[in-house]
Amino acid sequence: MAFINYKTRELNAKIVYVGPTGSGKTTNLRVIAERTDKQHIGELVSLERGADRTAYFDFLPMFLGKIRGFRSRLHLYSVPGKVPYESSRRMILKGADAIVFVADSEAARLQDNLESLKQVRGIMSSLGVDLDSVPLIVQLNKRDAEKAVSEEDLKRLLETGDRPVFPAVAMTGAGVFDTVRAASRLVLDNMLKPKPAKA
């Protein structure tokens, strides 16, 4: 989806939050919406279906101001974690410039994390995109959980490698802005890096 209009000096990019149901994807966007100066943030749009769970998607526009002479805007999305809504995930993941995987740190959710990551990889593959070619940021949410798995064990199980990883407690805002800043930086650096000269 990344779009640079050199004539109007505008830049638009898409960041998608994924992860198992209840891991804190929507909470991340709500915290960003509530704690960001209103002149830099749009309205959070949520299409939910009962029990405060995302059924289709959440959408939040974020205005970064001028970066390297471009008026920059991020389109933040979160998608449902439940299997029946795979079509929604596929639709929103198409054209993603970066992905934030929100993992649930609770021991009982380990398999859910692995299944969710596998589903995301499968969807991206069906779209003709290797997940490893897209900037991926991992957030280890719910670090305050009584039975939270250690950060090192979660990193190993999720095979994070050299990807940026941030511990978080999204309900309190801890780690939320570290995560979105890292995602923004990766996207913008990728979009604005000089193109190699043609031979």
Side-chain angles (χ1 to χ4, degrees), residues 31-127:
V31 168
I32 293 168
E34 290 167 2
R35 302 190 186 184
T36 301
D37 189 309
K38 296 309 174 190
Q39 67 179 347
H40 297 297
I41 206 81
E43 183 179 348
L44 175 62
V45 177
S46 294
L47 296 180
E48 298 172 340
R49 179 175 292 176
D52 201 31
R53 292 286 183 258
T54 303
Y56 300 104
F57 65 87
D58 300 307
F59 169 67
L60 179 67
M62 190 174 188
F63 313 102
L64 303 181
K66 281 198 173 183
I67 297 175
R68 298 185 201 172
F70 289 87
R71 285 182 293 173
S72 304
R73 176 185 297 183
L74 297 178
H75 302 270
L76 306 181
Y77 288 86
S78 74
V79 293
K82 290 186 177 180
V83 172
Y85 303 120
E86 183 170 331
S87 59
S88 294
R89 287 200 300 277
R90 181 183 169 87
M91 177 183 69
I92 300 301
L93 279 165
K94 186 174 183 179
D97 298 302
I99 294 173
V100 174
F101 184 81
V102 182
D104 192 319
S105 293
E106 295 191 62
R109 302 298 307 279
L110 282 179
Q111 192 58 40
D112 294 334
N113 289 324
L114 295 173
E115 283 297 320
S116 180
L117 192 55
K118 180 181 177 182
Q119 289 165 10
V120 171
R121 189 175 291 280
I123 290 172
M124 295 303 286
S125 178
S126 75
L127 293 170

